[in-house]
Amino acid sequence: MADYVIAGNAAVDKITFADGTSTGFMPGGATLFALTGIQLWTDSVLMCGGFGADYMEHMGDWMERNHIDRRGFHVRDPKNPLNYLVYRDSGDWYSYTEYGNAHYESLDCDPQKDHLREFLKGTKGVYCFRADDLDFFGQMAQLRKEFGFRFMWEIKATITVPEKLPVIRRILKNTDAFSINRREAYRLFEVEEDSEAIRALQGLDVPMVVYRIGSKGLYIIKGEEVFFAPSFQKYSVVDVTGCGNSSTAAAFYAWCENMDVCGIAAAANITAGMNLRYQGAMELTPENKRIAREEKKELENRYRKGSMEAGIV
């Protein structure tokens, strides 16, 4: 049905920046940003999850304009989630949701209610952004075994605490790729250096890990191979929201397409660079896709040559 499936839902975000300025409501949510991170590179991607009946009121124009495949959208509530993100001067942020976390989580992808199975024949990869929902992950383990796709888990910050390590390890036994940022990793593993976090991530025994360190770039970890890739800084920053989600999904796409670490890292960083040019979800225009392909080729070559301090750690 599609080469890639995003198991999640789309929210509507309103962002308040550290200087007090604010956006209007825009298409957002972690898994929508992940969708754009793959659709920048291929149109064979769809999202499967629950939505509110009013989602087109807030997101319809953007979805129509960007040709979003909505076959996996299932209306399961009158209201779609409305999220508020507030940035602090430190660059940190906090968020809350209009109708409460229980409402938001109730519309996340439910493999049975959202008929996920219908979209998995021939699928190369499935991405999710979740906490430790063992029922969900149990169903995904069975579907992964049955359909043979690769499974990416981008962990939610709420469970990146030491006491959650046993359940995280349990989930990762049926996971092919994993993504976490620096702040989350430091807290989860109780470390203070990237080198320590990387060793701990290697100890999770996941085939591919994306370890994100904010504006500095990211590490691609494949067993003993650790590759550092500085970020792509060509454009002025408009909004960093969703850069981690979109770059994670792009890295996952590149890995599923059997690219090497340079290709994986370049796809991720070019995607983040495109995302930060927009308030809310990026525009998936033919011109942006062309630019992304050209910039990826250039950045990948620079990584291969070891320029920009890129290379095996």
Side-chain angles (χ1 to χ4, degrees), residues 3-4 6 34-35 37-45 124-127 150 152 177 208 210 246-259 263-264 267-268 271 293 296:
D3 287 344
Y4 297 93
I6 307 297
L35 175 73
I38 293 181
Q39 195 163 329
L40 185 63
W41 306 101
T42 176
D43 290 329
S44 188
V45 58
K124 297 179 182 179
V126 177
Y127 160 103
R150 287 177 170 179
M152 157 67 85
M208 198 272 287
V210 182
S246 59
S247 63
T248 287
F252 181 51
Y253 157 80
W255 182 60
C256 289
E257 296 296 322
N258 298 315
M259 298 183 196
I264 295 168
T271 300
R293 288 193 298 271
K296 175 182 175 294

Side-chain angles (χ1 to χ4, degrees), residues 30-198:
T31 47
L32 183 68
F33 283 111
L35 175 73
T36 65
I38 293 181
Q39 195 163 329
L40 185 63
W41 306 101
T42 176
D43 290 329
S44 188
V45 58
L46 60 80
M47 181 185 292
C48 182
F51 287 77
D54 62 346
Y55 80 91
M56 286 296 285
E57 176 185 337
H58 297 289
M59 297 183 280
D61 289 345
W62 182 87
M63 288 191 173
E64 293 286 352
R65 189 168 65 247
N66 289 284
H67 307 288
I68 303 302
D69 188 335
R70 301 197 299 275
R71 288 175 295 166
F73 288 23
H74 295 90
V75 173
R76 294 200 269 110
D77 193 273
K79 296 292 185 180
N80 207 68
L82 301 179
N83 293 339
Y84 297 82
L85 288 81
V86 182
Y87 283 92
R88 302 185 177 98
D89 289 333
S90 62
D92 199 1
W93 57 272
Y94 66 93
S95 65
Y96 59 96
T97 184
E98 178 85 10
Y99 307 114
N101 288 330
H103 172 265
Y104 182 85
E105 292 175 1
S106 74
L107 292 176
D108 214 339
C109 180
D110 182 305
Q112 293 187 6
K113 292 179 181 178
D114 297 317
H115 312 289
L116 180 60
R117 172 184 296 275
E118 296 178 7
F119 306 104
L120 296 179
K121 185 177 181 179
T123 293
K124 297 179 182 179
V126 177
Y127 160 103
C128 77
F129 175 76
R130 300 289 279 235
D132 53 340
D133 182 341
L134 294 181
D135 179 63
F136 169 80
F137 284 110
Q139 293 184 65
M140 292 308 303
Q142 294 175 2
L143 291 170
R144 172 176 170 264
K145 183 177 180 179
E146 178 179 351
F147 289 95
F149 55 78
R150 287 177 170 179
F151 184 47
M152 157 67 85
W153 179 26
E154 181 179 350
I155 194 169
K156 279 193 174 182
T158 52
I159 65 162
T160 54
V161 290
E163 55 266 33
K164 287 289 186 178
L165 257 177
V167 71
I168 290 169
R169 290 181 183 278
R170 177 179 169 186
I171 292 169
L172 288 174
K173 289 180 179 179
N174 293 295
T175 301
D176 301 288
F178 182 59
S179 180
I180 191 170
N181 69 30
R182 172 187 274 161
R183 183 179 61 176
E184 295 161 351
Y186 281 16
R187 184 172 60 230
L188 176 63
F189 299 118
E190 299 182 283
V191 299
E192 297 179 353
E193 300 288 342
D194 287 334
S195 59
E196 296 174 301
I198 289 168

Side-chain angles (χ1 to χ4, degrees), residues 200-214:
L201 289 166
Q202 288 175 306
L204 296 177
D205 197 28
V206 180
M208 198 272 287
V209 176
V210 182
Y211 175 49
R212 313 183 319 268
I213 59 170

